[in-house]
Amino acid sequence: MELEQTLAKYFGYATFRPGQKEVIEAILSGKDVIALLPTGMGKSLCYQLPAYLLQKPVLIVSPLLSLMQDQVEQLKRFGEKRVVALNSFLTVEEKRYALHFLEQYRFIFTSPEMLLQQQVQEKLANMTLSLIVVDEAHCISQWGFDFRPDYLRIGDWFSQGNRPPVLALSATATEKVVKDIHATLSLHAPFEFMYNVDRPNIHLGRVLFEDRGDKAKWIVEHVKKTAGPGILYLSSRKRAEQYCELFMQAGLRAAAYHAGYSAEDRQFIQQQFIDGELDWIVATNAFGMGINKGDIRQVIHETMPANVANYMQEIGRAGRDGKPALAILLYSDGDEELAKFVVTGDLPSSSHVDRYQELALQRIAPSQMLKNGELSETAFRVLDYWLHQEPEERVKARLHHFALEKYQAVDEMLKIIKTKDCLREQLVGYFGQKLQKKPENCCENCGIHYDEINTVRMKEEKKVEMMAWESRLKQLLISD
DNA sequence: CGTCAGATCGGTATCGATCTGACGGTGCAATACT
């Protein structure tokens, strides 16, 4: 049967979207694949269709619990019952049940941490999978080395024994990120599909400030005269809350979002934003992954992101509906210092390495350091991981190298911010691609007619408002 | 490394200058508490 027929039979589509067919064909022929497809371009179909053809369970490694839940719900709505999210939401009994019948499921979603648990490993060793999917695979590079080391450990698991083909999926990945994915997962001559990273409908603005303090005034004035929905990114939780306060005082429907809130609160805020009940999310970089909202019109960065990959990921949340959207990056001299501190501040130091070894020699559990509050939980886990991988001196060198790499990544972002050339060309070039064509309102350096964009938006907004008003009247009339 | 809020200081007003210390992102799983 032709793939198109299978597509029609199971999903009801007549044709594939760009990249899907190539990726699926490579998987079916047993190849590893790295596929970079923009969100909303049918990434999940790339593993869902093979799951129906290959008749063995597909394992999907996912970075966030909320992401797993969304995908499970989506599949269930679609009528698929043989789907499970193996994670800490399950009770002990539910987990035991799920593990016992694991081979019965068609789709198994799980986290790297859960995947590496002994009971899960033992179960998987005794069953055959048709495909392993690493969703949001850039997390390997972004988080594996100094935040969630289990993202590196899944690589060890991949390299032992027979395994099915691996599909690594992501929306955007720089050349370095692709290299990290390839190496960490020990992929064998993977088929690489890279969709064009340029998003021509996103206008790339950049505003320079002499004085950092002028940003708040500028942002509030800007958002008052332009339309949302939008995301304002900040580099600390506290600032996110302060700006949210400013937005609300200005009469905007806004909410703050960062990792300090409970999962329930975050879920609630996210849902309100998706449903159009909020115009602005004022957030740290905790916000965004897995957000499926087509009509985000603006993404503003109050301070620079720590690297180009993050920037691309964050602005990429705007304008998924293809209509014009605006990304504005604010910069004042010295902003890079905070960015550099934040991304390296939590790395373990050489003295932490020494202390760890000293405790180990005295046969004291090194976790004592944690109890004494000598370092953070994250830093301890990272330290513990690397000291089990390689000798002390190598670990020290590596930690030093991480910091240098992170500084360098900030400087690369800074270079793009400060360029006098086309921002779009620079960005796309950073991803190893060449810009095909410059769109209208390309970027700050090519020229953006802010007024034109804003006027169009204000008109659109008025129209929407009127419709809302009319429909509300209608509702009132009907209910009376 | 830089910012910012609150404390302290100076010299004797009712506040401005200076000092000090706290703070600064991302998530999983599982446990110990209310």
Side-chain angles (χ1 to χ4, degrees), chain A residues 375-435:
Chain A
L375 39 47
S376 72
E377 198 187 331
T378 301
F380 179 77
R381 200 181 21 259
V382 169
L383 183 61
D384 191 60
Y385 170 79
W386 286 109
L387 282 171
H388 280 90
Q389 298 297 311
E390 48 190 33
E392 190 177 336
E393 290 312 311
R394 286 281 297 279
V395 175
K396 283 186 185 174
R398 184 180 286 278
L399 292 169
H400 181 65
H401 181 68
F402 283 165
L404 288 181
E405 266 186 340
K406 283 167 178 286
Y407 283 160
Q408 205 182 343
V410 173
D411 286 334
E412 280 161 356
M413 184 69 228
L414 189 60
K415 207 177 123 199
I416 293 182
I417 294 172
K418 287 192 170 171
T419 186
K420 292 192 166 60
D421 302 325
C422 171
L423 293 171
R424 189 174 303 273
E425 231 162 47
Q426 297 283 307
L427 269 178
V428 169
Y430 193 85
F431 286 81
Q433 297 186 359
K434 207 167 154 39
L435 187 62

Side-chain angles (χ1 to χ4, degrees), chain A residues 169-286:
Chain A
L169 288 171
S170 181
T172 41
T174 58
E175 288 174 309
K176 180 190 178 295
V177 173
V178 171
K179 213 176 104 211
D180 286 339
I181 293 171
H182 189 153
T184 305
L185 299 179
S186 324
L187 301 182
H188 309 309
F191 169 69
E192 295 186 11
F193 185 90
M194 317 274 169
Y195 196 80
N196 203 346
V197 295
D198 182 40
R199 299 277 305 280
N201 62 318
I202 303 178
H203 313 306
L204 305 171
R206 178 211 53 210
V207 187
L208 304 176
F209 289 81
E210 294 267 312
D211 186 345
R212 203 162 301 177
D214 296 340
K215 284 179 179 175
K217 192 165 166 258
W218 188 94
I219 290 174
V220 172
E221 273 171 20
H222 171 84
V223 295
K224 271 163 79 175
K225 68 183 185 206
T226 56
I231 308 171
L232 173 67
Y233 278 112
L234 300 119
S235 53
S236 84
R237 295 174 179 187
K238 201 163 130 194
R239 291 187 85 78
E241 298 197 358
Q242 287 168 346
Y243 267 93
C244 181
E245 195 63 33
L246 285 177
F247 275 31
M248 290 198 291
Q249 279 168 12
L252 296 155
R253 301 184 303 169
Y257 185 107
H258 55 67
Y261 294 121
S262 71
E264 294 80 38
D265 287 351
R266 291 168 66 170
Q267 183 65 38
F268 180 68
I269 293 167
Q270 183 174 316
Q271 198 56 48
Q272 279 191 308
F273 184 59
I274 289 172
D275 294 343
E277 289 159 23
L278 288 171
D279 293 320
W280 284 92
I281 290 283
V282 186
T284 61
N285 62 357

Side-chain angles (χ1 to χ4, degrees), chain A residues 78-91:
Chain A
F78 174 76
E80 177 58 66
K81 291 194 183 68
R82 291 159 61 186
V83 48
V84 68
L86 195 61
N87 59 36
S88 60
F89 285 164
L90 301 183
T91 63

Side-chain angles (χ1 to χ4, degrees), chain A residues 2 20 22 69 86 97 129 133 173 211 213 232 241 252 263 281 288 313 321 323 337 354 366 380 401-402 426 429 457:
Chain A
E2 287 290 318
Q20 288 178 330
E22 294 91 322
Q69 300 302 119
L86 195 61
Y97 179 90
L129 298 167
V133 182
D211 186 345
L232 173 67
E241 298 197 358
L252 296 155
I281 290 283
Q313 203 94 34
D321 55 10
K323 293 179 188 167
E337 301 302 336
D354 290 337
F380 179 77
H401 181 68
F402 283 165
Q426 297 283 307
R457 282 221 198 79

Side-chain angles (χ1 to χ4, degrees), chain A residues 33-46:
Chain A
V33 178
I34 300 178
L36 306 183
L37 295 167
T39 314
M41 287 298 279
K43 272 200 302 250
S44 45
L45 187 98
C46 294

